[in-house]
Amino acid sequence: MCGIIARIGQGEAADTLLSGLENLEYRGYDSAGIAVQNGSGVKVHKCSGEVADLKSTLDSRPHGNMGIGHTRWSTHGPPTDENAHPHTDMARNVAVVHNGVIDNYDELRADLQAKGHEFESDTDTEVIPHLIAEYRETIGDTEAAVRRAVETLEGSYAIAAIVDGEERVYAARKGSPLVLGLDDEEWFLASDVPAFLDHTEDVIYLEDGDLVVLDPDAYRITDLAGNPVERPVDTVDWDPEDAGKGEYDHYMLKEIHTQPTALSNAIEGRIDDGDAAFEDLSDGAFADVDTVQFVACGTSYHAAMYGGQLLRTAGVRTEVLRASEYDVTSGPVDENTLVVAVTQSGETADTLDAVREATSRGARSLAVTNVVGSTAAREADDAIYIRAGPEVGVAATKTYSSQAVTLALLTQRIAADIPDATPAADREAMFDALADLPRHVETVLETTDAEALAREYFDSESYFFIGNGFGHSVALEGALKFKEITYEHAEGFASGELKHGPLALVTEESPVFAVYTGGDDEKTKTNAIEAQSRGAPIVAVGPEDHPLVDVADAHLSVPDTHPVWAGLLANVQLQLLSYHAAKLLDRPIDKPRNLAKSVTVE
Ligand code: F6R
């Protein structure tokens, strides 16, 4: 969590830092700050709240061609002005922004206090500028001092530092993302590409152990011992427009509406002669695999459930495991185990930990992610990209759809390689229907009644979502989205589970959204009717032609399609339902309280 940015080059830095931070707010929005250097001292401006709050405290933009910035998701200490970054040393000569967690900060702080350092915040970060200042005194050279400070830190960090009187930015990473952006007249460092996408598409993904020194006209990357390091320059293919809200009120709504394009991108070139094909994965790539473990969190876990069901149906031994529980649920793992990390950001700490544990026990790893150069993509043996484009709204929408589709294709690819597995017999029909999926999503977006239904039910006491098979994972995802952005109580269940306890909560004040896909959904109908007979309004979510529609109180309809894809269309309806309910409740839809998009702590 937390987003950091640094900029050095011609012209003023402050506006670029502030707009870059706005594009990083999906990583946290508890407090924001910038520090700018112009040869007459390091000027720090910071406050609790969002970047907009920070802007409103600035009468004019601080002057300087270089600076650093931060938007925070609190880990150590509440979101106060004092705890906002940048942090400085006592003399305010060194300013630092940090994303990550310093595990040994207690010890470092005590050592520094014993040497006379006084601290102003509760954060782990504040030790870093103090350490740099301390080593500058003893070593006399800033670069060496930064190197030494970084060597002293235990934990994870991406940091950027500026020092009074030096036209230079220092940065380092270990375990937290950091990307270098290269423009003609300016350099950037940031936690993620959207921070500087308006300026350049040429990037270098830095690796753990890299230390970077940016001068106005040159950059240098070294390892911690000071040896030069070469890193390739990549070009990102995200359009700057992808990173803005465009005509929409919220990023979430924009991202729901861009699903047809995202899905077309996810599918493009991945069906070849009736089979699923992935760039970089040769035929037979999975021939040795006997067990597949999907590991993921939150929405990505629900997408993994979708893929897991398909792979099991193809006769492959499959587990779908919550990454945060991997150490206690994983069971035997060996070199014939493929661990598939499903992670939009590629930076989720729980997911990365699960993969590291699996690979340390001999498993082979594959990342399914949206972010090129992310830690998951770099650490896994192979990576497949879902090609959804940047997602800024904290609630995942288009990335879920793109993950589910990519995983569905991957399952057919895996099943084709494993000798005893059986790829879906009707996969030609399935792939034909997949080609129509973007168009069907458009139909849902054009014809949806979700807003009217949200209006009817938005003041209910609780919301239940049920579904069977693919519908189950969609029900879980529907409930997660609903609670996340409306702050209302919402739960998802396998249809058959409703009567084993949750039914006690069902009243006329708790609408039940029953997701069905056109496959074997008898259980969903029976259980929905049981809830209805206890007074709950029932909303059928699925294709037109289904017996549930006749008994339901309302219907969110989706076009007829192959049952494998109907759940994804139902999910679009539920995304819209959550969005409109949250809007009616006046919630901060793109930035729900207490959450951040990229969860880089355990
Ligand atoms: C919910 C949501 C989260 C993420 C989860 C995993 O809308 O976005 O539940 O799905 O934090 O994130 P990634 O996919 O980045 O690993």
Side-chain angles (χ1 to χ4, degrees):
M1 346 281 243
C2 299
I4 70 168
I5 184 168
R7 184 267 185 196
I8 185 167
Q10 304 299 313
E12 296 292 324
D15 274 328
T16 307
L17 293 172
L18 290 165
S19 65
L21 286 181
E22 281 171 330
N23 289 340
L24 290 176
E25 273 194 302
Y26 71 87
R27 303 180 67 86
Y29 30 84
D30 287 340
S31 65
I34 57 171
V36 172
Q37 216 267 98
N38 60 16
S40 59
V42 171
K43 303 274 185 304
V44 176
H45 302 267
K46 59 183 190 175
C47 66
S48 60
E50 301 182 3
V51 179
D53 299 309
L54 173 66
K55 278 171 142 177
S56 68
T57 66
L58 297 172
D59 296 334
S60 59
R61 296 290 180 260
H63 163 63
N65 71 327
M66 52 170 291
I68 55 179
H70 188 270
T71 179
R72 177 168 188 244
W73 189 84
S74 316
T75 54
H76 292 75
T80 58
D81 292 353
E82 294 72 31
N83 289 335
H85 299 214
H87 291 286
T88 64
D89 65 321
M90 275 161 53
R92 311 224 183 282
N93 286 330
V94 181
V96 171
V97 288
H98 164 223
N99 169 33
V101 175
I102 304 302
D103 294 334
N104 60 339
Y105 86 100
D106 258 346
E107 201 183 295
L108 294 172
R109 192 170 160 124
D111 282 353
L112 287 159
Q113 277 167 330
K115 290 180 180 140
H117 290 254
E118 285 169 19
F119 289 82
E120 292 175 354
S121 78
D122 310 313
T123 66
D124 52 341
T125 304
E126 199 182 355
V127 296
I128 306 172
H130 285 256
L131 276 176
I132 296 174
E134 178 71 21
Y135 292 138
R136 275 180 92 218
E137 287 246 348
T138 50
I139 307 173
D141 171 64
T142 308
E143 188 175 331
V146 171
R147 205 176 297 287
R148 178 88 174 273
V150 162
E151 278 167 356
T152 318
L153 303 176
E154 286 168 18
S156 59
Y157 53 80
I159 58 165
I162 58 174
V163 175
D164 184 24
E166 294 189 23
E167 205 178 4
R168 201 166 244 206
V169 176
Y170 300 91
R173 76 154 275 177
K174 184 185 143 211
S176 299
L178 192 60
V179 195
L180 174 58
L182 310 170
D183 196 9
D184 291 343
E185 297 199 324
E186 53 189 349
W187 315 124
F188 301 90
L189 282 157
S191 305
D192 197 359
V193 173
F196 52 71
L197 199 54
D198 282 343
H199 301 266
T200 181
E201 291 163 0
D202 294 330
V203 303
I204 293 177
Y205 295 101
L206 297 163
E207 302 277 343
D208 281 355
D210 285 355
L211 192 135
V212 185
V213 177
L214 300 184
D215 292 330
D217 53 0
Y219 69 87
R220 258 183 315 118
I221 308 173
T222 63
D223 62 18
L224 285 188
N227 304 307
V229 170
E230 288 285 325
R231 298 275 174 237
V233 178
D234 283 311
T235 304
V236 288
D237 60 3
W238 290 351
D239 189 320
E241 268 198 19
D242 290 346
K245 259 197 301 223
E247 76 215 55
Y248 297 94
D249 287 347
H250 296 93
Y251 281 107
M252 182 181 179
L253 189 61
K254 176 187 169 190
E255 287 155 4
I256 291 172
H257 277 262
T258 47
Q259 285 176 112
T261 311
L263 285 170
S264 299
N265 291 340
I267 300 163
E268 197 186 329
R270 288 179 167 166
I271 300 172
D272 183 23
D273 219 5
D275 279 318
F278 283 92
E279 60 282 359
D280 304 335
L281 291 178
S282 55
D283 283 354
F286 301 112
D288 293 342
V289 171
D290 68 16
T291 304
V292 176
Q293 293 184 331
F294 291 95
V295 294
C297 300
T299 290
S300 295
Y301 177 80
H302 301 147
M305 283 177 74
Y306 215 95
Q309 183 178 336
L310 267 169
L311 198 55
R312 266 186 224 111
T313 313
V316 177
R317 194 172 296 128
T318 306
E319 296 168 31
V320 184
L321 302 170
R322 295 193 187 275
S324 57
E325 293 277 284
Y326 188 81
D327 52 345
V328 288
T329 56
S330 61
V333 168
D334 61 24
E335 66 281 4
N336 300 117
T337 308
L338 175 70
V339 64
V340 181
V342 186
T343 165
Q344 181 282 127
S345 62
E347 302 294 346
T348 300
D350 289 325
T351 307
L352 294 174
D353 279 356
V355 176
R356 287 170 191 148
E357 181 173 337
T359 49
S360 75
R361 286 156 60 189
R364 169 176 163 196
S365 59
L366 170 66
V368 176
T369 182
N370 195 30
V371 182
V372 177
S374 60
T375 305
R378 284 183 298 101
E379 289 191 6
D381 296 318
D382 293 290
I384 290 177
Y385 297 101
I386 63 168
R387 306 173 181 162
E391 187 176 68
V392 177
V394 164
T397 51
K398 65 175 176 172
T399 55
Y400 167 85
S401 303
S402 299
Q403 283 172 332
V405 158
T406 309
L407 288 173
L409 289 169
L410 176 67
T411 61
Q412 300 310 300
R413 180 67 187 73
I414 293 174
D417 280 358
I418 298 180
D420 294 335
T422 46
D426 65 343
R427 70 181 183 290
E428 207 177 315
M430 194 172 126
F431 289 160
D432 283 351
L434 179 58
D436 288 335
L437 191 62
R439 188 169 53 79
H440 287 331
V441 172
E442 260 164 35
T443 305
V444 171
L445 295 169
E446 282 160 15
T447 59
T448 181
D449 293 326
E451 185 171 3
L453 269 184
R455 202 170 288 284
E456 187 163 344
Y457 294 122
F458 81 97
D459 55 357
S460 303
E461 267 170 17
S462 273
Y463 301 80
F464 295 108
F465 296 76
I466 60 170
N468 193 28
F470 292 119
H472 176 209
S473 51
V474 173
L476 295 184
E477 174 56 11
L480 176 65
K481 213 87 313 169
F482 201 88
K483 73 180 89 167
E484 182 179 21
I485 60 166
T486 65
Y487 308 164
E488 296 295 312
H489 174 246
E491 293 298 333
F493 303 100
S495 302
E497 285 297 301
L498 197 61
K499 58 187 175 294
H500 294 294
L503 202 53
L505 296 173
V506 165
T507 68
E508 57 282 2
E509 282 302 312
S510 56
V512 175
F513 294 86
V515 179
Y516 57 94
T517 60
D520 172 21
D521 286 317
E522 193 52 34
K523 277 190 189 147
T524 304
K525 181 180 159 207
T526 321
N527 285 276
I529 291 172
E530 280 164 14
Q532 193 178 41
S533 64
R534 271 90 184 161
I538 301 300
V539 181
V541 191
E544 199 64 51
D545 184 19
H546 195 275
L548 189 56
V549 178
D550 302 329
V551 293
D553 300 277
H555 181 208
L556 287 171
S557 172
V558 308
D560 276 334
T561 181
H562 192 286
V564 164
W565 312 123
L568 300 184
L569 296 171
N571 186 57
V572 175
Q573 289 281 24
L574 296 182
Q575 291 170 346
L576 290 162
L577 175 84
S578 297
Y579 173 82
H580 289 296
K583 199 166 175 201
L584 288 162
L585 292 162
D586 204 20
R587 306 293 189 228
I589 292 178
D590 286 330
K591 299 174 191 165
R593 69 183 173 207
N594 305 336
L595 300 179
K597 191 155 191 71
S598 180
V599 187
T600 55
V601 291
E602 281 170 40

